[in-house]
Amino acid sequence: MHVIHMGHDVFKANDKVAEKNRKNLDKHGVFSVNVMGAIGSGKTTLIEEAVRHLKDKYRTAVIAGDVIAEMDASRFRKLGVPTTPVNTGKECHLDAKLVEKALGEVDLDNTDLLIIENVGNLICPVDFKLGEHLRVVVVSVTEGDDIILKHPMIFKTSELAVINKVDIAHAVDVDAEKMRDDIHSLNPDIPVILTSKHDWESLETWIGFIELGIGRTQEARKK
Amino acid sequence: MHEYSIACEIFEQVIETAKVHGALEVRHVTLEMGRLSHTNPEQLSFCFKAIAEGSIAENAEFIVETIPPSLECECGYTGTVDETQIGKNDELQSELLEYIAALECPVCGKNARIIGGRELIVKSIEIETEVEQ
């Protein structure tokens, strides 16, 4: 019996493909957002609002990740933006290879903003970079105010956190400010936005954040 | 399931390496697993066995070595977390949370960047070859 040394890092293999995706996106001047969060946190609605508001200003496309079915993809298509559904089959997250394949179907030359909706889950997407420019975690008050400390790594590794459905926080006996404090205890530097689909001002903050990224990408392209 | 796709990737790499080295059987697969990775060793082993059924790795045993998180701070510190802090704070009730609470620079106390502890590495395999029989 003998020992063969391998040193093959499974996540780094994914990271390499993610880097390739990032270069591809950069080459085309596309700003990409990876939206992660649990089932029912409101990811699709937040993306819809962003698409509705930004599609006439920026050429917008969506990759809609889901285990099965195309419910979310059809919601984005209804808004008139190119949408690529990705069914993972049994997987609980998108990985860089799936996104690489999906990017082949996106007209990157004619895209400024690409929003990727990850599969509903606060755990698995953490270990898999996609090549995105902005990692967003969406959590809703309906998930309970201990949801954040139960899933520390996603808050530790994201670049923006959204606490959604804050208009019903009282009804579900949850303190959204405690959730914000918990996020900051895990990641002091992360911007945290409180949103509700019934409060346009809060949605504007969310959309403004994406627009900031698009602006930066376009500036960098000019240089 | 998260572990399934990881097990597929491990299986492919293991089989490829085993075949290159003329293996008749893969006996052990040794993994290095970062404490901050969301991977469950038992589930991973279960998935691997299911995928490896009928292959030269179907009886392979998983050996998992864990890697503690390591940090890099803007003050210049690089190193691992202070392991003595882990397991002391009962309030946190989870090893992962304890590690995350300890991800501060031991020199200046600032929030440090994680540079290690999230990896999943197929470190080595132990194989049987014809030559030895």
Side-chain angles (χ1 to χ4, degrees):
Chain A
M1 197 147 72
H2 51 240
V3 177
I4 316 286
H5 293 281
M6 288 178 62
H8 173 79
D9 192 326
V10 175
F11 295 139
K12 280 223 176 93
N14 177 78
D15 291 354
K16 268 192 197 157
V17 182
E19 255 171 60
K20 222 174 114 195
N21 291 346
R22 170 76 81 107
K23 279 190 189 146
N24 192 13
L25 292 162
D26 285 344
K27 193 175 84 188
H28 292 89
V30 180
F31 177 70
S32 60
V33 186
N34 173 11
V35 183
M36 305 175 290
I39 296 164
S41 57
K43 296 186 294 299
T44 311
T45 301
L46 285 171
I47 295 171
E48 276 178 325
E49 291 297 339
V51 168
R52 215 172 266 141
H53 191 74
L54 296 171
K55 66 175 178 166
D56 295 331
K57 231 164 154 184
Y58 308 100
R59 296 166 299 174
T60 303
V62 182
I63 292 176
D66 229 324
V67 177
I68 52 162
E70 286 199 15
M71 262 88 101
D72 293 349
S74 65
R75 279 171 64 175
F76 302 130
R77 279 201 196 102
K78 269 187 200 151
L79 299 173
V81 291
T83 304
T84 310
V86 179
N87 281 152
T88 59
K90 47 193 168 296
E91 295 300 327
C92 45
H93 59 275
L94 289 180
D95 64 24
K97 275 187 197 163
L98 286 169
V99 170
E100 183 186 33
K101 200 168 156 237
L103 286 180
E105 291 171 40
V106 180
D107 182 7
L108 295 175
D109 280 327
N110 288 304
T111 306
D112 302 310
L113 168 67
L114 174 68
I115 305 181
I116 305 167
E117 180 172 0
N118 216 310
V119 180
N121 186 338
L122 286 169
I123 302 163
C124 311
V126 176
D127 290 329
F128 294 87
K129 289 178 196 162
L130 307 178
E132 71 279 59
H133 296 91
L134 179 68
R135 279 168 78 80
V136 182
V137 53
V138 178
V139 69
S140 73
V141 294
T142 54
E143 291 160 59
D145 59 11
D146 51 1
I147 194 77
I148 288 143
L149 294 180
K150 279 180 181 169
H151 301 89
M153 279 307 280
I154 199 160
F155 296 95
K156 192 81 193 161
T157 58
S158 291
E159 290 144 338
L160 172 67
V162 180
I163 303 172
N164 197 22
K165 307 188 188 178
V166 291
D167 54 318
I168 56 164
H170 184 71
V172 292
D173 200 16
V174 161
D175 179 358
E177 287 303 327
K178 180 205 178 289
M179 293 174 83
R180 189 206 298 262
D181 290 347
D182 281 351
I183 294 172
H184 278 143
S185 78
L186 294 167
N187 188 348
D189 304 322
I190 193 172
V192 180
I193 301 172
L194 271 58
T195 53
S196 151
K197 73 170 182 181
H198 304 294
D199 172 12
W200 173 243
E201 234 174 81
S202 75
L203 294 175
E204 264 185 329
T205 315
W206 150 243
I207 294 162
F209 217 95
I210 297 174
E211 219 171 346
L212 206 69
I214 304 170
R216 280 195 198 131
T217 303
Q218 294 189 339
E219 277 298 304
R221 250 207 140 189
K222 278 182 207 154
K223 278 176 194 166
Chain B
M1 192 157 109
H2 185 200
E3 275 70 11
Y4 183 79
S5 63
I6 297 172
C8 284
E9 168 83 19
I10 295 173
F11 177 72
E12 276 174 32
Q13 294 296 328
V14 164
I15 291 295
E16 196 179 303
T17 308
K19 283 189 176 157
V20 166
H21 289 83
L24 292 176
E25 196 188 351
V26 180
R27 301 289 288 272
H28 291 109
V29 177
T30 305
L31 302 174
E32 287 183 321
M33 198 180 276
R35 285 194 187 271
L36 301 178
S37 84
H38 286 108
T39 319
N40 179 308
E42 286 83 27
Q43 283 181 335
L44 194 60
S45 171
F46 178 82
C47 291
F48 186 88
K49 271 199 191 324
I51 298 160
E53 213 175 285
S55 80
I56 55 167
E58 74 174 341
N59 294 315
E61 242 180 81
F62 262 41
I63 301 163
V64 176
E65 299 171 357
T66 50
I67 308 174
S70 51
L71 309 172
E72 183 180 72
C73 180
E74 58 186 34
C75 77
Y77 173 83
T78 51
T80 52
V81 298
D82 182 1
E83 291 276 336
T84 58
Q85 287 187 49
I86 312 301
K88 277 193 177 166
N89 193 343
D90 292 340
E91 269 178 35
L92 293 175
Q93 295 174 343
S94 118
E95 192 193 60
L96 186 57
L97 266 180
E98 286 184 23
Y99 269 102
I100 285 166
L103 294 179
E104 283 171 353
C105 173
V107 178
C108 69
K110 277 193 194 140
N111 195 35
R113 204 167 71 86
I114 304 165
I115 54 167
R118 299 184 62 197
E119 51 282 90
L120 179 64
I121 301 168
V122 189
K123 187 183 172 190
S124 62
I125 53 172
E126 254 181 67
I127 56 167
E128 291 283 0
T129 58
E130 206 165 1
V131 182
E132 292 158 335
Q133 287 190 339

